[in-house]
Amino acid sequence: METKQNTYYIFNYGCQMNASDTEHYAGQLEELGYAPAEDFRKADVIVVNTCCVRESAEKKIAGKIGELKNIKIKNPDMVICVAGCMAQKDGEKLLKKHPQVDLLLGTAYVNDFKSILTEYLAERKGKYYTDLTIHQSEFEGKMVRQSSFSAWIPIMYGCNNFCTYCIVPYVRGRERSRAIENIVAEIEQAVEEGYKEFTLLGQNVNSYGKDFGEKNAFAKLLRRVNEIKGVERIRYMTSHPRDMNEEVIKAVAECEHVCENFHVPFQAGSNEILRRMNRGYSREKYLELIKMIRSYVPDAAITTDIIVGFPGETEQDFEDTLALVQEVGFDAAFTFIYSKRSGTPAAKMEEQVPLAVKKDRLNRLMEVQNLSSLHRNKELIGKTVEVLAEGPSKNPAVWTGRTRTNKLVLWPAESRIYNAGEKVLVKIDTAQTWLVKGKAVQDV
């Protein structure tokens, strides 16, 4: 009689770090003999990897966890694991609300999942693991990467900044860096497997190595990874303006494979709001940083994050944000309406801004930023750019990929068969707010 293979299904929500964690969960499941299930309703193990950065994400995830209740009734042997930031934040309270959940796995236990699941299967006793003081920052074993050419590489975990609006330090813990030799070994292994592009991940990559007591460790890491044979593109996220320095910018300028794309979240253009956010820098310091980037890497694309409607934000504060956006000329911005996160200082602040005011400010901000994005993209018209092909668009005859500066590019395949991860030279002839279009002129 043929033995039925056990299967798994992972729901992933949230940031790039969560995407990387999901690859680790999948790898450990496959090491235990599980195969991916096409239908989550028929899986033997379901992992819900959660996010709690915004309330909207939490509501969506809670709905998905609730949906699993009836599925669990029909298949009581199914193992349901809720992992990630929401599991860390809500802990035992989440288990009480959702008794269909068998395992609750906090953010510090990603690399322990295989042993935890094995132990659960032997005992069938529900448990939760949310102690942030216990962790393994290193990972040895299989990963199921979602891309065939681009790899997430965690270099550190946690955050020490404690911005007053942010839940991350409370659910990801304090900063802890991976050893540089382990990062290099993981990238070298991925190169052997055919990977070309590497994104170094951390809540604040510019703090990498501080816990080792090493100065400029992140800049040194960029230079070391740049030397690895077979690496074609290096990206990183996310940076904190307070910790980004000249050595990092020089490394980007001087390293052949480090992409000329700086994501530098400024969040607000008002010094008073920056103070209330506990960001640790001023408007003036941020603009000095941008000037330094432009000096060393003139053709760099600079993107950012912006929050509108932070508690106490006046119309003048918001105007300061608009003015900064206009002065810098960002290539793109991820814009958010401030929303309370329970457990953060900002949630208890007075002078909460009415929702209608926040929505109006967001719309005005997006109008300004969209003009900037379009202007920056139009500067590429007539230029030939190197694109790393990602795959066909919704129209199979049109391919998509990204430039070194992370611009999304569309071009007609014109009967040519491309491969994901292939470099293509595209001459740009059309610019839109979110992307550019052109025609392939020759292969790299």
Side-chain angles (χ1 to χ4, degrees), residues 373-424:
S373 296
L374 181 59
H375 173 74
R376 296 286 292 173
N377 285 347
K378 281 183 175 179
E379 291 179 341
L380 292 178
I381 291 177
K383 295 183 178 179
T384 299
V385 294
E386 178 194 281
V387 178
L388 199 62
E390 295 181 358
S393 65
K394 292 179 181 178
N395 177 357
V398 176
W399 265 65
T400 69
R402 290 190 179 271
T403 66
R404 287 176 60 95
T405 56
N406 210 31
K407 303 278 188 181
L408 182 63
V409 182
L410 273 64
W411 74 95
E414 295 180 334
S415 75
R416 165 68 201 272
I417 299 174
Y418 292 101
N419 297 309
E422 181 179 346
K423 285 183 179 177
V424 183

Side-chain angles (χ1 to χ4, degrees), residues 216-272:
N216 295 321
F218 182 58
K220 293 174 183 176
L221 176 65
L222 287 176
R223 293 182 184 279
R224 177 67 185 87
V225 175
N226 186 67
E227 295 170 355
I228 298 174
K229 188 175 181 180
V231 169
E232 295 185 9
R233 284 188 178 183
I234 303 165
R235 302 188 186 277
Y236 58 88
M237 60 176 59
T238 294
S239 294
H240 193 298
R242 176 170 60 189
D243 300 308
M244 178 173 270
N245 59 29
E246 188 172 12
E247 289 304 312
V248 171
I249 297 168
K250 285 171 65 177
V252 175
E254 295 168 4
C255 291
E256 176 186 0
H257 304 298
V258 180
C259 293
E260 302 82 5
N261 176 211
F262 293 83
H263 184 68
V264 196
F266 79 91
Q267 304 299 5
S270 157
N271 282 336
E272 172 58 20

Side-chain angles (χ1 to χ4, degrees), residues 99-369:
Q100 69 272 24
V101 175
D102 300 296
L103 286 172
L104 196 75
L105 212 63
T107 56
Y109 289 86
V110 177
N111 298 333
D112 302 294
F113 179 53
K114 184 167 69 171
S115 60
I116 288 172
L117 178 61
T118 301
E119 182 180 319
Y120 171 79
L121 292 172
E123 300 178 357
R124 288 285 174 173
K125 291 181 181 179
K127 291 186 178 181
Y128 69 100
Y129 300 81
T130 56
D131 186 348
L132 280 172
T133 63
I134 301 173
H135 63 265
Q136 290 191 58
S137 292
E138 302 300 345
F139 178 76
E140 295 179 4
K142 183 176 181 179
M143 274 170 287
V144 180
R145 300 195 187 275
Q146 298 305 300
S147 168
S148 62
F149 65 91
S150 183
W152 305 118
I153 307 292
I155 65 169
M156 62 182 300
Y157 303 89
C159 183
N160 290 353
N161 284 309
F162 290 93
C163 300
T164 56
Y165 55 83
C166 185
I167 196 70
V168 167
Y170 305 97
V171 295
R172 285 281 181 178
R174 304 306 292 268
E175 291 173 354
R176 51 196 190 275
S177 304
R178 292 182 64 195
I180 189 169
E181 57 267 25
N182 290 341
I183 295 169
V184 170
E186 182 179 340
I187 294 173
E188 288 175 339
Q189 176 62 38
V191 167
E192 288 184 17
E193 295 168 1
Y195 288 87
K196 300 178 179 181
E197 180 181 65
F198 299 89
T199 303
L200 310 181
L201 292 180
Q203 265 72 37
N204 177 17
V205 291
N206 297 114
S207 288
Y208 172 77
K210 282 186 177 180
D211 47 333
F212 300 153
E214 186 172 350
K215 190 176 180 181
N216 295 321
F218 182 58
K220 293 174 183 176
L221 176 65
L222 287 176
R223 293 182 184 279
R224 177 67 185 87
V225 175
N226 186 67
E227 295 170 355
I228 298 174
K229 188 175 181 180
V231 169
E232 295 185 9
R233 284 188 178 183
I234 303 165
R235 302 188 186 277
Y236 58 88
M237 60 176 59
T238 294
S239 294
H240 193 298
R242 176 170 60 189
D243 300 308
M244 178 173 270
N245 59 29
E246 188 172 12
E247 289 304 312
V248 171
I249 297 168
K250 285 171 65 177
V252 175
E254 295 168 4
C255 291
E256 176 186 0
H257 304 298
V258 180
C259 293
E260 302 82 5
N261 176 211
F262 293 83
H263 184 68
V264 196
F266 79 91
Q267 304 299 5
S270 157
N271 282 336
E272 172 58 20
I273 298 300
L274 288 172
R275 184 191 67 78
R276 291 170 68 95
M277 288 179 167
N278 191 37
R279 290 292 286 171
Y281 55 85
S282 66
R283 171 195 184 90
E284 292 75 22
K285 285 291 185 183
Y286 184 85
L287 289 172
E288 285 178 14
L289 179 63
I290 297 300
K291 184 178 180 181
M292 189 185 298
I293 291 171
R294 298 276 191 223
S295 172
Y296 277 104
V297 194
D299 295 328
I302 303 178
T303 58
T304 195
D305 294 344
I306 309 169
I307 296 172
V308 299
F310 188 79
E313 182 186 71
T314 65
E315 179 61 25
Q316 183 56 55
D317 292 327
F318 175 68
E319 290 290 342
D320 289 345
T321 294
L322 281 184
L324 191 148
V325 170
Q326 291 170 320
E327 181 173 350
V328 173
F330 293 104
D331 289 75
F334 298 91
T335 55
F336 307 95
I337 283 178
Y338 169 76
S339 65
K340 289 183 180 181
R341 291 287 72 209
S342 59
T344 63
K348 300 175 183 177
M349 288 182 180
E350 297 179 356
E351 301 178 83
Q352 296 286 333
V353 178
L355 181 59
V357 175
K358 290 192 283 192
K359 287 183 176 179
D360 175 67
R361 289 176 181 170
L362 181 68
N363 289 334
R364 289 158 58 195
L365 173 63
M366 290 177 67
E367 286 179 8
V368 171
Q369 179 53 49

